[in-house]
Each structure stands twice: as structure tokens, then as C-alpha cells.
Amino acid sequence: TLRTAIPAGWIFLTHGEVAILGPCATAVNAASFHCGLPVAGPFKATNHGRIDSAAFTCSVRIAGLGRCEFEAPALAPGSSATLSLPPMHIDAESLVRVTEPRLARIEARVDGNGASCCRDICLMSLYDWLCDPTAHATLSAFVLPRHPIVQGIVRDASAVLRGKGFDSFPALLGSGRADAERVSMEAVFNTLARDRSIKYVDPLEKTLPGGQRYQRIRVPEHIFVNSIESGTATCLDISLLMTACLENIGLMPLIFLLGKDRHRPTHAMTACWAGATPGLRILIEDLPFLKREASCGHMIVVEAAGAADGFCDHKLNPGEAVTAAIARLNAAEWATAIDIGGVRPPYGVITPMCAL
């Protein structure tokens, strides 16, 4: 008889004297599949018997959505192996049709002997983002630098540069001017603040059936739902929008999440590197490093929400937005920065979600 302590929500399978144990995602959406996040695993397979075990195949499926297989190798007595789940082939259209979070069943099974384990998993809508450390990097999939609305903002911001003697952002960034990144950021921020009327709203934090927190993201056409010049957005929505603009013009932007701890981000900001990056990383969670880089100007952090009406008592200018962002970062108990250059090919694998 196998006696194994099973953490809540984990998957546990047996085949003869071999036990397979591993975590299972509590919620999935289009972004998690797009970013390659596994729905389960990694698993640990252990042979608790006294003789060699033969290899066998297992499968994981989400009812009505998709299925994948993985193989447990032959194991000597007392030995273990780590098993990773391959990407699940999903019915993308079925997932895109999810408009409100709903529960589904995920089932792991040993093919052939019928042993199985089922867990609840929440299917989230295309625009829902899980406020969980495992999903922080998926925000980069919502940064849409080629979106028509983003391209329109960049075109308008380019006109600001003509007064500074540059015809375009590539011309400015290739000029060798020491403050080219800051001037570019200011042009984008001023365009959002002066030429777009965005009303700031507090995020509406919701809870999934399993108790996890999530937030619905407004992509550009949801911010400017009635007009290309006016709209409504949270700090996260505006930060994603401005980050997309900065990526479009050729900067190396970052998305900042801040809060009490990594499980409960409460605010978002935008940033970009000024000059060379200190090595690309997908997530930068070294708070003292982030504070130093922002304070010395190697990283330009900006309170993107300051470009909106209602965030504070007046719309901020670019200088005020940078000062406010540095102050907020210095006061933060926790922060992480998602480096867009680090997640994009060829360094990473996360591309903008074209379905958006």
C-alpha cells in the first residue's frame, strides 16, 4: 500500500508501485496557453517497489477543451524521475468563447489501467488576468505594439518630435542624443495626456470560484470603445497601452507591478531602459536593484496613470510622472518588472496575442 501526503489540489496517480505526484493549475485562459504555461506539472514519478517498473503513458485532458500525453519512464526500485507536461493541443475557439469564468474538470489518467485523478479548474475569459505569481509574465501577451490604436498614438506622438528637429522616433533614437529614450517617452506620455481623454477608474478586483483574484483587462479597443480619442482605463490598462507604444517605437519597455507581496499586486506602472540593458530577464524581482536603476536614471519609470483624468488632482506632466513613479517604487514593499525585451523572441517565447 502506498501512503503519500498529497498537497491540496495536486494530481496523484498510481500504476503498480509507481506513484506520480504534481501540481495542477487552478485557472487557465487564452494567455496562459499562448505563453506556454503548463496546465499541470512538473510531476515526480517514484518507484516504491522492489523490482524495476516498465514505462507507461499518462494523459491529461480538460473536458471539451484539449488533451496531451506524457510518458513515465522505466524506473529502478527507489528511483524517481521528473516529468514535464508537453503543450496541450486545445480547441482555441472554445476557449475564446468563454466570456465569464466557469468551472471545468481536468482529468489525469494512466492509459490502460483506468487509474485517474480529477480536479476542478477554472476557465477564464480572453481578457481576464489571474493576479498570481505564475501569471505575472502573461501580461506581456497583452502588450500589443502593432494594434491600430497604438499605431495611431505613435503617429501623433511623432508629430511632437518635429519641434525638436527629428522626423521620427527611429531618427531620434539613432541620433546618439543622450536623452533620446526620455524624450521619446515624454512624447508618448504627452500624447496620451493631451491628445487623448482617458478617465481613470479603480480596478474592479473579482474572485474566481476557487477564491483566486483576477482582473479584467481593457485592451486598446476596450479603452477607446466609443471614440479613438476618449476612454476609460485602470492603471494596468494604461500601463499596458503605454508599454505597447514604447515597444512600437523601438524602446525596451517594462511593466511594473507593485503591492504588499507577489500574491497581491495593487498597482501598475510603465518603464523603459535608458541605454544598454543590464542583461535581459523575464521577471526582475530584485527590489533594491529596481530602486537603484530607477533612481540613477538607467531605468525611466513613469506613472502612466498620471496621463488620465481622475488619477490624482491634475494630469501629470512627464517630469511629475517620473518623480511620482520613483517615489512610489521607493515606498513599495514588493515590486516586479516584466522586461518586454526579455520575453520577446529571440530571447523569450511570448509574442503579442494576435486574437486581441
Side-chain angles (χ1 to χ4, degrees):
T1 301
L2 295 179
R3 296 185 182 276
T4 304
I6 306 171
W10 281 38
I11 286 173
F12 179 65
L13 293 171
T14 60
H15 181 62
E17 297 297 319
V18 176
I20 295 178
L21 180 66
C24 177
T26 56
V28 293
N29 66 354
S32 57
F33 286 109
H34 178 83
C35 296
L37 300 184
V39 296
F43 297 108
K44 183 178 181 181
T46 303
N47 183 356
H48 296 276
R50 297 180 178 178
I51 61 174
D52 292 349
S53 65
F56 58 94
T57 301
C58 301
S59 62
V60 175
R61 67 183 290 269
I62 300 177
L65 188 63
R67 180 180 185 274
C68 62
E69 295 183 349
F70 65 99
E71 184 169 290
L75 293 170
S79 65
S80 300
T82 299
L83 315 176
S84 295
L85 198 66
M88 178 175 286
H89 299 289
I90 65 166
D91 179 356
E93 291 187 2
S94 294
L95 191 57
V96 169
R97 285 197 295 269
V98 176
T99 57
E100 292 294 334
R102 63 178 176 84
L103 286 177
R105 296 289 277 173
I106 182 169
E107 179 188 38
R109 176 179 295 274
V110 176
D111 291 353
N113 78 349
S116 65
C117 178
C118 292
R119 295 284 182 261
D120 285 335
I121 191 168
C122 189
L123 305 184
M124 302 169 69
S125 88
L126 181 62
Y127 304 104
D128 290 338
W129 174 66
L130 189 65
C131 303
D132 184 87
T134 61
H136 287 170
T138 65
L139 279 177
S140 58
F142 293 93
V143 176
L144 310 174
R146 301 302 171 196
H147 193 286
I149 290 175
V150 170
Q151 292 178 327
I153 294 169
V154 170
R155 279 194 303 270
D156 291 349
S158 297
V160 177
L161 300 181
R162 298 191 185 103
K164 301 181 183 294
F166 297 99
D167 292 333
S168 64
F169 285 105
L172 170 60
L173 296 172
S175 69
R177 181 167 168 166
D179 62 348
E181 291 89 356
R182 184 176 294 274
V183 172
S184 298
M185 182 278 294
E186 290 176 351
V188 172
F189 185 91
N190 279 329
T191 299
L192 291 173
R194 298 174 183 174
D195 299 339
R196 302 296 188 275
S197 178
I198 302 174
K199 179 182 178 182
Y200 171 80
V201 292
D202 289 325
L204 178 60
E205 187 178 289
K206 300 180 180 181
T207 304
L208 295 175
Q212 306 92 337
R213 297 165 47 252
Y214 76 98
Q215 182 175 333
R216 183 153 294 180
I217 290 173
R218 293 176 178 86
V219 291
E221 70 265 28
H222 295 165
I223 294 176
F224 302 101
V225 65
N226 295 317
S227 166
I228 61 171
E229 295 181 349
S230 63
T232 302
T234 65
C235 61
L236 180 57
D237 302 329
I238 303 172
S239 295
L240 291 170
L241 177 64
M242 185 170 181
T243 301
C245 294
L246 298 183
E247 185 180 11
N248 178 288
I249 65 179
L251 296 182
M252 299 290 282
L254 308 95
I255 305 167
F256 265 76
L257 297 175
L258 305 94
K260 288 188 65 66
D261 58 60
R262 63 200 302 261
H263 296 279
R264 195 175 180 83
T266 56
H267 190 63
M269 303 190 302
T270 298
C272 68
W273 293 108
T277 65
L280 294 171
R281 289 174 281 176
I282 293 177
L283 294 176
I284 306 173
E285 296 187 286
D286 184 341
L287 184 57
F289 169 79
L290 293 172
K291 291 179 178 180
R292 287 195 306 270
E293 294 295 288
S295 295
C296 75
H298 187 204
M299 176 191 289
I300 306 169
V301 189
V302 59
E303 186 69 89
D309 289 307
F311 178 69
C312 51
D313 59 2
H314 68 285
K315 281 189 178 182
L316 304 180
N317 62 45
E320 291 173 327
V322 169
T323 299
I326 293 174
R328 188 183 290 272
L329 177 60
N330 285 335
E333 297 180 58
W334 167 86
T336 190
I338 304 157
D339 194 330
I340 301 302
V343 304
R344 299 287 194 241
Y347 307 103
V349 299
I350 303 177
T351 57
M353 279 205 292
C354 295
L356 299 176

